[in-house]
Each structure stands twice: as C-alpha cells, then as structure tokens.
Amino acid sequence: EKVIVRAITDDRAVRKISILGVPDKPGVAAHVFRVLGDQGVNVRLIVQAQSHDGHNDITFVVPSDAPLEDSDLQNVVNTVGGKSWLMDDKVALLNVVGEGITREPGIAGKIFSVLAEEGVNIEAISSSNLVITCVVAEESLEKGARALHAALIETD
Amino acid sequence: EKVIVRAITDDRAVRKISILGVPDKPGVAAHVFRVLGDQGVNVRLIVQAQSHDGHNDITFVVPSDAPLEDSDLQNVVNTVGGKSWLMDDKVALLNVVGEGITREPGIAGKIFSVLAEEGVNIEAISSSNLVITCVVAEESLEKGARALHAALIETD
Ligand SMILES: C[C@@H](O)[C@H](N)C(=O)O
Ligand SMILES: C[C@@H](O)[C@H](N)C(=O)O
C-alpha cells in the first residue's frame, strides 16, 4: 500500500447530534454552526450527505461536556424550520490518519472491512485527505481500535 | 481567531455519487468501498450522516474521469440491498484548510455564512481537524472560493 497509515486515534468522550429535516437552502448550515460558535461549542466533526426532496440532515459530533442544552437544539430546529433533533452520547470516534489516505484506492474499503469483521456498525463517516473518521458505538470502540491497529499498523 | 486558515483550495473536476437506502449494518460500507478500491477509483471524500429506520445513504466524491460505470453503481446497490444511486457531475469541492480548524468555535459558522451570503447552497459537508470541505454546485465555485478567500485569508 502506498499510503502509510501513521496512526489510529480514538475519542470516547463525545456525543453525536443530528438536526433533521432542515430546508436544503443557503443559510441553514450557517445558522446551526453560528449558534454553536456563539456558545463556544468545539465541534469535532461535521457530516452532511445527500439531500432528499429539498431537505437534509446535518450531523455533528461535540465533546460530551459541550455547553449545549436540549433547548438550544430545539431553538435551532425551530429557527431554521427543521423537523427534529437527535442526540446520542454512547458513541465514539475512530480516526485513521495517513497522508493522502483517501487517495489510496482500497484503503477505505480495508478500514471498513476490518471494522465489519469485528461486527462494528459504522454510524457515520467523514473523510479528508489526511484522516478517515468513523463514528461507532462506544461499546465497539475498543475492539474496533484494536483490530484497526493490528491490520494497519502492526502488520508493517 | 485562534485558527489560522492556511489555504482555500478547490476542485471542479469531480462528481458526487450517493448510494441510497442501504441497510445500516456492518459490512455495507466495506462492500461499497472494496468495489471502488478494486476498480482503482480514487475517492476524494466520503460522507455518511444520520441513519433512519435501519437504513442510510453513503455519499462520496470521485474525480470526473474515475473508472466507474453506471452498471458498477447498480451492481453495488443490488449487492448490498440498497434502494438506488444518484450521480451529479456538476459539483465542485471547496476546502478550507487550517490546523485544528474544527476546534475553533465559530469558524464553521463563519465559513458557511460567507457561502450563504453569496447564495451558495452547501450540498454536502465533511470536516476533520485540518480541513472543512463543502460540496457546492460547480457554477457556484468561483464566487464561493473568492468570497472565502476575501473573508478568511485576505483580511489578515
Ligand atoms: C442543509 C444546509 O447545508 C443547506 N444546504 C445550506 O447551505 O446551509
Ligand atoms: C451504512 C453503513 O455504513 C453500515 N452502517 C456499515 O457499517 O457498513
């Protein structure tokens, strides 16, 4: 493999929040994240995928102790005209770090296969040129991290 | 702002593909990306957000000339038991690069606001500790990139 996987890191002190059914028009994501910014919330991950019928969901991950109340989320939903919000604090982040990681055909498939073989469900995915991050259940973190380490770091 | 935005980069020679309504269980993402890997497809971005009723969508961005046919996508959908697939080749990537970028409260809101003020709709979002990537319509790329540059790079 041309990509050198430099590190596997993880973080279990996080929670995943989704703002659901927001209008897919300019200014919606801006409002959500301006509110978070004003409250000093440190956002670890943002993922937004395919829209449907003029609406979309916005999923993001924050530290478990982020200064963010249920009422804040409801206010955001109301302001942008979204449907509802969800929060899950039993999640963790698994990060596979390597220069140009997503440019290596096969590396993403390998990472996801290693997790699948451990029975780890991948709840969300965010990638860039330097890191592929999977959101998984907190209870799956240890076996997922260990398997990735064995498959990607120790075998070289 | 503590985060130094180091660069704004963009790429218009890309297309966005979504595999829709796939079962949210281990092995699905693995299959999709193993197939892409076997075909030597270079994946620039992967985003998967909130699942619904045991199903999810997986959105990814590849170079416009990636060796990937409609039949390949249909085969993937059939194999994993998904609903359908979509492709849009009139998209572009806008990347805002900076160390620790998502850890700066307010930076995401600022980026998305700058785009909103230009009337640029944000079709997908992927973030990491080093880069926030927005998928936008190809026709919006120039004004979006220029506005981000003016707001984040030139004003400092
Ligand atoms: C859904 C949200 O991202 C919207 N498309 C926006 O540009 O703000
Ligand atoms: C939807 C897909 O990501 C699935 N959850 C998997 O783990 O493969």
Side-chain angles (χ1 to χ4, degrees):
Chain A
E1 265 153 18
K2 302 180 239 108
V3 161
I4 305 295
V5 171
R6 204 158 33 89
I8 311 286
T9 68
D10 60 72
D11 190 345
R12 71 175 63 229
V14 291
R15 44 183 164 135
K16 173 172 65 115
I17 297 168
S18 292
I19 307 288
L20 306 179
V22 300
D24 181 29
K25 57 177 195 188
V28 170
H31 179 76
V32 173
F33 291 94
R34 263 206 322 271
V35 167
L36 294 178
D38 290 348
Q39 298 194 195
V41 175
N42 160 346
V43 177
R44 292 278 167 82
L45 197 81
I46 304 169
V47 279
Q48 175 189 301
Q50 181 65 48
S51 61
H52 290 275
D53 300 324
H55 290 80
N56 210 342
D57 301 334
I58 303 176
T59 294
F60 55 96
V61 173
V62 300
S64 302
D65 61 1
L68 198 57
E69 305 291 336
D70 290 7
S71 54
D72 298 321
L73 297 173
Q74 191 55 52
N75 287 339
V76 164
V77 167
N78 294 343
T79 304
V80 302
K83 179 162 158 262
S84 59
W85 58 270
L86 290 176
M87 188 190 303
D88 184 353
D89 63 3
K90 298 268 176 292
V91 301
L93 296 178
L94 257 174
N95 307 297
V96 182
V97 187
E99 185 65 44
I101 196 160
T102 43
R103 289 173 188 261
E104 170 69 20
I107 191 78
K110 176 152 195 178
I111 290 166
F112 303 150
S113 295
V114 168
L115 292 177
E117 277 157 37
E118 296 297 314
V120 176
N121 192 43
I122 302 168
E123 300 189 10
I125 303 168
S126 174
S127 73
S128 73
N129 218 19
L130 283 144
V131 57
I132 291 181
T133 298
C134 293
V135 178
V136 301
E138 206 167 14
E139 65 192 10
S140 299
L141 183 63
E142 192 166 347
K143 66 178 174 174
R146 198 179 305 167
L148 286 174
H149 218 272
L152 300 173
I153 306 253
E154 295 157 32
T155 56
D156 215 48
Chain B
E1 262 154 20
K2 301 182 241 107
V3 163
I4 305 295
V5 172
R6 205 159 29 91
I8 311 285
T9 68
D10 60 71
D11 190 347
R12 71 172 65 229
V14 291
R15 47 184 162 133
K16 173 172 64 114
I17 296 167
S18 293
I19 307 287
L20 305 179
V22 301
D24 181 28
K25 58 177 197 191
V28 171
H31 178 76
V32 173
F33 292 95
R34 266 206 321 271
V35 166
L36 294 179
D38 290 347
Q39 297 195 195
V41 175
N42 160 348
V43 177
R44 292 280 167 79
L45 197 82
I46 303 169
V47 280
Q48 174 188 300
Q50 181 64 49
S51 62
H52 290 275
D53 300 323
H55 289 81
N56 209 342
D57 300 336
I58 304 177
T59 295
F60 54 96
V61 173
V62 299
S64 303
D65 61 2
L68 198 58
E69 306 290 336
D70 291 7
S71 54
D72 298 320
L73 297 173
Q74 191 56 51
N75 288 338
V76 165
V77 167
N78 294 343
T79 304
V80 303
K83 179 161 155 263
S84 58
W85 58 271
L86 289 175
M87 188 189 307
D88 184 354
D89 63 3
K90 298 269 180 288
V91 300
L93 296 179
L94 257 174
N95 308 296
V96 181
V97 187
E99 184 65 44
I101 196 163
T102 45
R103 287 174 191 260
E104 170 68 20
I107 190 77
K110 175 152 196 180
I111 290 166
F112 303 149
S113 295
V114 167
L115 293 176
E117 277 156 37
E118 296 298 313
V120 176
N121 192 42
I122 302 168
E123 299 189 12
I125 303 168
S126 175
S127 71
S128 73
N129 219 20
L130 285 144
V131 57
I132 292 180
T133 298
C134 293
V135 178
V136 301
E138 207 168 13
E139 65 192 10
S140 300
L141 182 64
E142 193 166 348
K143 65 178 175 177
R146 199 178 306 166
L148 285 174
H149 217 272
L152 299 172
I153 306 247
E154 295 157 32
T155 56
D156 215 49

